Every structure is written in structure tokens, then in C-alpha cells.
Amino acid sequence: MNVKIHPSWASRLQAEFEAPYFQELTDFVRNEYRTGVCYPPGGKIFNAFDLCPFDQTKVVIIGQDPYHEEGQAEGLCFSVAEGVPHPPSLQNIFKEIEGDLGRPVPRNGSLERWAKQGVLLLNATLTVRAHQAGSHQGKGWERFTDAVIAHLSAERENLVFLLWGSYAQKKGLVIDRSRHLVLCSAHPSPLSAYRGFFGNHHFTLTNDYLISHQIDPIAW
């Protein structure tokens, strides 16, 4: 498969691209985009990888599904395009940053600025049908993103993985805790944010860890 993705990722994921499951996934996704409305836009399906090359990754945040309403998804978990109202989970992420670091809530909900600093904003499933949450789950994306996490765990050192909610925590079981910092808490959604997301101080803890390993911190 000739997948348009940053070269630093392409070389490591070539075995996935050549696997039969990925061919089936590609056929499914192409048909979905051809016959209906899907998100994110086709050119941004691998946006997280293009903005955050393998060797520049410092932090990994694991989401589940792209936003499924018009104009929201831009290929980065929890992020929305500039000018789009902040979804509830993103609002709560910004509230925690404000409480943790004293940074005011930004008007721009795009997290591209994080990605360009080395935060891989990885959804477990990279595409979705319009207005149908979870519609592209179980088609192969999860296997692909499991491989992404496994490569990072095995080939890098001193990364920070932020696992919010049980889904992300299960997906992170493969991470080598002796090589990386893994921070877990409740999910930032309104249903669970008050059960352990607020006050988790993950943004301070992330930067403290990076600094302790002579790595530039993230300007959250």
C-alpha cells in the first residue's frame, strides 16, 4: 500500500500497510468516503502523524473516535478546527489546564500547536461516518493504532502517555512502564470529568517528567 503519511512513520508501519487487514480497511474507507460523508477530510486522516513525526514525539494522548459533525474533525484527537465551538470534553481539558497551570482557556480549539511540539493526538479509529459515532470501529483501525503504540513503546524512551478513561487505558496495556511515564485518569467527558479528570495535574506532571529527562516541556 502507498499510504500518504510522514516518512518517519511510513518506514516503521510498512508491515501494517502491506498486511491483508489494512487492504480491507482501505477498501472499506474508500467506499465510505465515495458513497457518503465521512470525517475527517481525506487529506487529514493521518494528520496526527504528519504534524508529529516519530522521532519528535514526546507525549501521546489516546482518544477513541473522530468527531462526527460537520467541520469538527481535523485528524487530531479532542481537537476541532479553528472557529468551531469547543466540544464538552475539550472544554474540560482546557478547564483542567487552567486549574493546573493557570493558563486561560483559548478561543481556538485546534490542538495543532500541541502536535507541532511533539504531542501525538492519536484516535484509536481514524475515520467516522457523519453523524454516526463509532461507525468505523472494528474495521481494522484499532489494530493499526495498536501497532503505532507498540512501536513508540519499544523504540523510544521517556515518552509520556496520557490515558484518559477505560478505553484508552486498555489500549495502553502494551506500553512498557519501565521506559515511559503512563498517567491514567477518568475521561474528560462531562459524564466522568468530576470523577478524577479534574485535578489530575497531568499537564504539570508531564512537563516535570520531560524536564527531568532534559526534554523541552510542552506549552499547553
Side-chain angles (χ1 to χ4, degrees):
M1 290 295 298
N2 180 23
V3 176
K4 294 181 180 178
I5 191 172
H6 192 277
S8 66
W9 288 103
S11 59
R12 288 171 172 85
L13 297 170
Q14 192 59 39
E16 303 304 314
F17 298 144
E18 294 175 355
Y21 88 87
F22 199 86
Q23 177 64 64
E24 294 175 6
L25 170 63
T26 301
D27 291 344
F28 168 78
V29 171
R30 284 175 175 163
N31 184 64
E32 286 284 286
Y33 274 75
R34 185 172 60 249
T35 59
V37 177
C38 296
Y39 302 119
K44 290 195 172 183
I45 292 173
F46 294 104
N47 199 26
F49 303 92
D50 293 333
L51 293 175
C52 186
F54 183 87
D55 295 320
Q56 295 176 29
T57 300
K58 304 175 186 178
V59 180
V60 182
I61 300 177
I62 298 177
Q64 187 166 354
D65 218 24
Y67 295 122
H68 53 268
E69 298 302 333
E70 184 177 359
Q72 291 182 309
E74 57 175 7
L76 308 171
C77 72
F78 296 108
S79 177
V80 290
E82 184 172 2
V84 175
H86 301 174
S89 290
L90 183 58
Q91 291 179 31
N92 288 337
I93 289 169
F94 287 152
K95 285 179 184 177
E96 173 58 22
I97 292 173
E98 184 176 36
D100 189 16
L101 301 173
R103 293 181 179 271
V105 173
R107 292 183 178 180
N108 183 1
S110 175
L111 303 181
E112 277 196 12
R113 59 190 180 276
W114 294 4
K116 292 176 179 178
Q117 295 178 75
V119 181
L120 182 66
L121 295 160
L122 181 67
N123 272 319
T125 303
L126 299 189
T127 56
V128 69
R129 197 179 302 148
H131 319 305
Q132 297 183 44
S135 50
H136 288 186
Q137 291 178 5
K139 302 298 183 181
W141 279 130
E142 295 90 344
R143 178 173 168 180
F144 174 75
T145 50
D146 282 347
V148 170
I149 295 166
H151 276 284
L152 286 165
S153 177
E155 297 175 40
R156 295 291 311 280
E157 291 186 3
N158 303 323
L159 298 178
V160 182
F161 290 84
L162 303 183
L163 308 182
W164 299 332
S166 59
Y167 183 90
Q169 289 160 27
K170 289 175 184 175
K171 199 163 179 70
L173 291 175
V174 69
I175 300 164
D176 185 347
R177 266 70 170 173
S178 70
R179 296 165 65 96
H180 308 286
L181 176 64
V182 178
L183 298 174
C184 300
S185 80
H187 193 275
S189 77
L191 296 174
S192 56
Y194 286 96
R195 299 204 298 266
F197 179 78
F198 289 135
N200 66 19
H201 300 290
H202 279 187
F203 303 98
T204 289
L205 292 170
T206 294
N207 280 351
D208 287 349
Y209 180 85
L210 294 175
I211 291 168
S212 73
H213 290 88
Q214 292 76 53
I215 301 169
D216 289 338
I218 306 299
W220 301 106

